[in-house]
Amino acid sequence: MKLYTYFRSSAAYRARIALNLKGLPYEMVSIHLTKDGGYQRKPDFRAINPHMRVPALEVSGGEILTQSLAIIEYLDEIHPEPPLLPADALERAKVRAIAQIIACDIHPLNNLVALQYLKRELKHAQPEIDAWYHHWVIEGFNAIEAMIGPGPYTCGAQVTLADICLVPQVANARRLKVPLDHYPKIVAADAACLKLPAFDKARPENQPDAE
Ligand SMILES: N[C@@H](CCC(=O)N[C@@H](CS)C(=O)NCC(=O)O)C(=O)O
């Protein structure tokens, strides 16, 4: 498999964690999201993902999958061990709820393309953009902190899709200096995950294209 990725992309980070947890080998193709106006916008990559975002995963047979959650659920269906979603429907819905707070409610408001639009088109100053970024992380993390149970992971004793989404979002929050003091359960789940090689290997700083 071939993963189109960028070391700093939290959505690509999710896909890297899932591939590592499944123990699947993959080649990485780095798509620099800021150099020369962003390689995601060049015709070569546009032909791979018309949405011009990473991750994209080329699977055997040459099909391209996009959207990190779709990629992760595909991998989980094709390679069921270890499962990334609980067997119980109620527990599965709880895992998906946390994953979706991050992937659907926090990240789209805070990803590169949204922040660039605030700056370049709407002419907001950097402190306003930083305040915007912090606001949506805090809103989402307040909810997730209240939803996390005993641990050690986000949804209990097993690593799930919720952890796969949480860890990259915590990394982004730290990079953008969002204070995490009010989120001891989030910080603990993040630390527990990062002890696992699959998560550690997927960290931005451990990628071949890290700067
Ligand atoms: N919902 C998508 C989000 C993908 C996404 O927005 N990726 C960002 C990096 S984290 C990207 O490629 N941005 C390109 C840009 O900002 O131009 C997913 O989960 O895969």
Side-chain angles (χ1 to χ4, degrees), residues 84-98:
L84 303 177
L85 288 166
D88 179 74
L90 197 63
E91 297 308 315
R92 206 156 57 237
K94 290 181 187 172
V95 167
R96 286 191 170 123
I98 292 181

Side-chain angles (χ1 to χ4, degrees), residues 6 8-14 33 51 53-55 67-69 98-116 132-133 135-141 144 164-166 168-173 175-176:
Y6 180 56
R8 211 170 256 155
S9 158
S10 63
Y13 190 176
R14 294 175 202 149
L33 296 186
H51 199 209
R53 298 184 187 208
V54 291
Q67 287 290 341
S68 60
L69 296 191
I98 292 181
Q100 288 174 24
I101 288 176
I102 294 162
C104 306
D105 296 339
I106 300 177
H107 181 257
L109 294 166
N110 282 358
N111 70 9
L112 181 65
V113 76
L115 301 182
Q116 282 177 342
W132 166 276
Y133 188 99
H135 174 78
W136 297 115
V137 174
I138 288 166
E139 266 244 322
F141 277 13
I144 293 170
I164 293 174
C165 291
L166 185 76
Q169 188 59 62
V170 170
N172 271 1
R175 190 163 67 82
L176 276 290

Side-chain angles (χ1 to χ4, degrees), residues 17-26 81-82 198:
I17 297 168
L19 285 159
N20 295 344
L21 283 168
K22 297 289 182 184
L24 298 169
Y26 56 101
E81 292 300 325

Side-chain angles (χ1 to χ4, degrees), residues 113-133:
V113 76
L115 301 182
Q116 282 177 342
Y117 186 78
L118 288 175
K119 187 173 194 138
R120 294 174 183 169
E121 311 298 325
L122 303 181
K123 310 290 180 205
H124 283 283
Q126 195 57 47
E128 291 174 323
I129 296 170
D130 293 344
W132 166 276
Y133 188 99

Side-chain angles (χ1 to χ4, degrees), residues 6-210:
Y6 180 56
F7 78 105
R8 211 170 256 155
S9 158
S10 63
Y13 190 176
R14 294 175 202 149
R16 295 194 299 262
I17 297 168
L19 285 159
N20 295 344
L21 283 168
K22 297 289 182 184
L24 298 169
Y26 56 101
E27 176 194 339
M28 284 192 275
V29 180
S30 176
I31 304 298
H32 203 297
L33 296 186
T34 58
K35 204 152 74 184
D36 290 341
Y39 280 79
Q40 73 278 25
R41 301 186 188 287
K42 310 277 184 218
D44 281 1
F45 188 69
R46 243 176 139 142
I48 290 160
N49 182 5
H51 199 209
M52 298 182 285
R53 298 184 187 208
V54 291
L57 183 71
E58 185 182 315
V59 294
S60 51
E63 288 279 355
I64 307 274
L65 303 180
T66 62
Q67 287 290 341
S68 60
L69 296 191
I71 290 170
I72 293 164
E73 292 214 18
Y74 167 82
L75 293 173
D76 206 29
E77 286 165 17
I78 299 296
H79 303 279
E81 292 300 325
L84 303 177
L85 288 166
D88 179 74
L90 197 63
E91 297 308 315
R92 206 156 57 237
K94 290 181 187 172
V95 167
R96 286 191 170 123
I98 292 181
Q100 288 174 24
I101 288 176
I102 294 162
C104 306
D105 296 339
I106 300 177
H107 181 257
L109 294 166
N110 282 358
N111 70 9
L112 181 65
V113 76
L115 301 182
Q116 282 177 342
Y117 186 78
L118 288 175
K119 187 173 194 138
R120 294 174 183 169
E121 311 298 325
L122 303 181
K123 310 290 180 205
H124 283 283
Q126 195 57 47
E128 291 174 323
I129 296 170
D130 293 344
W132 166 276
Y133 188 99
H134 282 219
H135 174 78
W136 297 115
V137 174
I138 288 166
E139 266 244 322
F141 277 13
N142 283 346
I144 293 170
E145 183 70 14
M147 293 161 84
I148 292 182
Y153 304 113
T154 308
C155 292
Q158 305 299 325
V159 166
T160 65
L161 180 65
D163 300 292
I164 293 174
C165 291
L166 185 76
V167 168
Q169 188 59 62
V170 170
N172 271 1
R174 288 204 170 102
R175 190 163 67 82
L176 276 290
K177 304 201 174 359
V178 179
L180 297 178
D181 321 339
H182 295 306
Y183 308 116
K185 290 182 187 168
I186 289 177
V187 168
D190 176 68
C193 289
L194 286 171
K195 284 192 192 131
L196 304 173
F199 282 80
D200 185 55
K201 193 178 153 204
R203 290 168 94 126
E205 57 271 34
N206 293 339
Q207 300 315 297
D209 60 344

